[in-house]
């Protein structure tokens, strides 16, 4: 043998307690690290699951509402597409089918863009997101450039208007496709009607003209009835306004008369009270049980018997003199 070790020599070299203990300790540490990593993953999953359950319980009415709105919109969209396809089938318009396909693609692009923008608030980047161009506008930098100052840290923040431009472009394209599709279907409908009229008989033409004149007459009568109802409503409103103004004026006049009457009664009572005070001051006493109106508090009937029982008659005070 010129180099290396035999098996017996290697066994003797490896058969050492220190080396065995060291290797076993390292293997135990690796095992512990793996178990701790698994525990952390389990705890993390448990916390996420608990948060999802709490959010579902708290926002369940909102989730149900969103689901209902989405279901209704989906049904409306499918019904609209079914109707468009049926119209294209009735008119035998191939261009109409092409327009429906283009509209469907544009709707899917808008849905993809909306979903990507919503998810971008929670996820930084993903290869499945809509490819939105980065066109940022920095308001602080623009203000600083206009005033000649320094934007500072706020100049680094901006608003990405790329999604807005893409959305506007898709909507503009969709409106143009819808206009083109409407013109195509209108043209196909006119062509179909023209082909049907060529095969009509004279009697059918006369019936169609009569039906058209009848529809015009019905529309005219309906417009006249609506105009008549509007005029009657205006007249009734004017009558109600005039009646309410008359009632208001009469109520105001009655209140003024009542205030004048109350003022006259008060003046009359003050005059009588002043006259009675002057008579008492001059020494003129009342005979025959007469009591001034301002002293008549229910004691008149009680004082009359005592005055009649005077031994000197009605003018007892004069006899004493």
């Amino acid at each position: 043998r010129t180099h290396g070790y035999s098996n017996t020599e290697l066994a003797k070299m490896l058969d050492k307690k220190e080396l065995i203990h060291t290797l076993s300790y390292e293997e135990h540490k690796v095992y512990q690290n793996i178990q701790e990593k698994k525990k952390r993953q389990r705890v993390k999953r448990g916390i996420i699951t608990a948060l999802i359950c709490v959010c579902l319980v708290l926002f369940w009415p909102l989730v149900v509402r969103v689901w209902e709105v989405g279901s209704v919109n989906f049904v409306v969209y499918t019904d609209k597409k079914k109707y468009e396809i049926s119209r294209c089938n009735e008119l035998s318009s191939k261009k109409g089918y092409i327009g429906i396909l283009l509209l469907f693609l544009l709707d899917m692009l808008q849905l993809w863009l909306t979903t990507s923008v919503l998810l971008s608030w929670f996820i930084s980047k993903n290869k499945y997101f809509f490819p939105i161009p980065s066109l940022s506008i920095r308001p602080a930098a623009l203000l600083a450039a206009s005033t000649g100052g320094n934007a500072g840290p706020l100049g680094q923040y901006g608003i990405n208007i790329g999604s807005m431009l893409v959305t506007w472009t898709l909507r503009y394209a969709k409106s143009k496709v819808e206009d083109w599709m409407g013109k195509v279907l209108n043209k196909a409908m006119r062509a179909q009607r023209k082909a049907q009229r060529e095969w009509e008989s004279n009697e059918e033409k006369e019936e169609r003209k009569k039906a058209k004149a009848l529809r015009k007459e019905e529309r005219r009568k309906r417009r006249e009835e609506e105009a008549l109802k509007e005029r009657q409503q205006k007249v009734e409103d004017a009558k109600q306004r005039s009646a309410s103004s008359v009632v208001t004026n009469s109520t105001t006049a009655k209140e003024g008369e009542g205030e004048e009457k109350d003022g006259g009664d008060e003046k009359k009572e003050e005059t009588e009270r002043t006259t009675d005070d002057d008579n008492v001051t001059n020494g003129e006493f009342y005979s025959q049980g007469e009591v001034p109106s301002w002293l008549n508090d229910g004691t008149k009937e009680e004082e009359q018997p005592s005055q009649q029982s005077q031994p000197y008659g009605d003018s007892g005070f004069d006899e004493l003199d």
Side-chain angles (χ1 to χ4, degrees):
R1 176 175 89 246
T2 57
H3 62 278
Y5 301 94
S6 63
N7 293 331
T8 57
E9 291 175 348
L10 289 173
K12 290 179 181 180
M13 293 173 63
L14 293 176
D15 189 12
K16 294 182 179 180
K17 293 183 179 180
E18 292 82 3
L19 183 60
I20 292 171
H21 288 304
T22 303
L23 292 174
S24 63
Y25 179 69
E26 293 296 330
E27 290 180 356
H28 183 67
K29 284 203 304 184
V30 171
Y31 177 76
Q32 285 182 343
N33 292 331
I34 294 171
Q35 294 297 323
E36 289 178 358
K37 188 177 180 180
K38 289 182 178 179
K39 288 181 181 179
R40 286 196 299 270
Q41 290 179 354
R42 291 171 183 172
V43 171
K44 187 177 179 180
R45 290 176 183 174
I47 293 172
I48 293 172
T49 306
L51 289 175
I52 292 172
C53 293
V54 171
C55 291
L56 285 176
V57 171
L58 291 177
F59 300 103
W60 182 250
L62 180 62
V63 173
V64 172
R65 183 65 176 174
V66 171
W67 175 259
E68 291 177 353
V69 172
S71 301
V72 171
N73 291 331
F74 179 75
V75 171
V76 171
Y77 182 78
T78 52
D79 291 343
K80 182 181 177 182
K81 292 303 174 184
K82 288 178 182 178
Y83 175 75
E84 291 175 353
I85 293 171
S86 64
R87 289 294 296 168
C88 292
N89 190 17
E90 290 175 1
L91 300 174
S92 301
S93 177
K94 296 180 180 179
K95 294 182 179 179
Y97 288 113
I98 296 172
I100 291 173
L101 181 60
L102 291 175
L103 289 176
F104 178 75
L105 292 175
L106 290 173
D107 290 335
M108 291 298 103
L109 288 175
Q110 285 184 350
L111 180 62
W112 185 18
L113 176 62
T114 305
T115 307
S116 300
V117 171
L118 291 176
L119 292 177
S120 65
W121 289 88
F122 307 99
I123 303 173
S124 60
K125 290 182 180 180
N126 196 307
K127 63 180 180 179
Y128 299 107
F129 281 177
F130 190 91
I132 301 173
S134 180
L135 300 173
S136 61
I137 294 177
R138 295 179 174 86
L142 294 175
L143 292 174
S146 61
T147 57
N150 186 13
L154 294 177
Q156 300 178 359
Y157 296 95
I159 302 171
N160 187 12
I161 63 172
S163 60
M164 301 179 189
L165 292 176
V166 174
T167 303
W168 181 82
T169 305
L170 292 175
R171 289 179 180 176
Y172 179 77
K174 184 179 179 181
S175 64
K176 290 298 180 181
V177 172
E178 287 178 349
D179 294 339
W180 174 76
M181 185 177 172
K183 292 178 182 179
V184 167
L185 293 178
N186 191 12
K187 186 177 180 180
M189 184 175 64
R190 288 182 179 180
Q192 188 178 16
R193 286 183 178 179
K194 186 177 180 180
Q196 290 177 356
R197 289 173 184 176
E198 290 178 355
W199 296 94
E200 285 182 354
S201 61
N202 293 328
E203 295 179 356
E204 291 178 350
K205 291 181 180 179
E206 291 294 333
E207 290 180 357
R208 181 167 52 80
K209 290 180 180 179
K210 289 180 181 179
K212 186 177 180 180
L214 183 60
R215 288 195 299 271
K216 287 184 178 179
E217 185 67 20
E218 289 178 355
R219 287 196 296 270
R220 186 183 63 80
K221 289 181 180 180
R222 187 164 57 252
R223 286 195 296 268
E224 290 179 354
E225 290 177 357
E226 290 177 356
L228 180 61
K229 289 180 180 179
E230 289 180 358
R231 288 196 295 271
Q232 291 177 354
Q233 186 66 29
K234 289 180 180 178
V235 171
E236 290 179 358
D237 294 340
K239 288 181 180 180
Q240 290 179 358
R241 286 196 296 270
S242 61
S244 62
S245 62
V246 169
V247 171
T248 305
N249 294 331
S250 61
T251 305
T252 306
K254 287 181 181 180
E255 290 178 355
E257 292 177 358
E259 290 178 356
E260 291 178 358
K261 187 175 180 181
D262 294 339
D265 295 340
E266 291 177 357
K267 290 180 180 179
K268 186 176 180 181
E269 290 179 358
E270 289 178 359
T271 305
E272 292 178 356
R273 187 178 300 174
T274 306
T275 305
D276 294 339
D277 292 341
D278 293 339
N279 293 334
V280 172
T281 305
N282 295 329
E284 296 179 358
F285 298 95
Y286 296 92
S287 61
Q288 297 180 0
E290 294 180 358
V291 181
S293 61
W294 57 278
L295 292 174
N296 188 8
D297 56 351
T299 60
K300 182 177 179 180
E301 296 178 358
E302 296 177 358
E303 292 178 355
Q304 285 181 357
S306 61
Q307 291 179 0
Q308 291 179 0
S309 62
Q310 293 286 340
Y312 301 101
D314 295 337
S315 58
F317 293 99
D318 295 336
E319 295 292 335
L320 288 174
D321 293 336

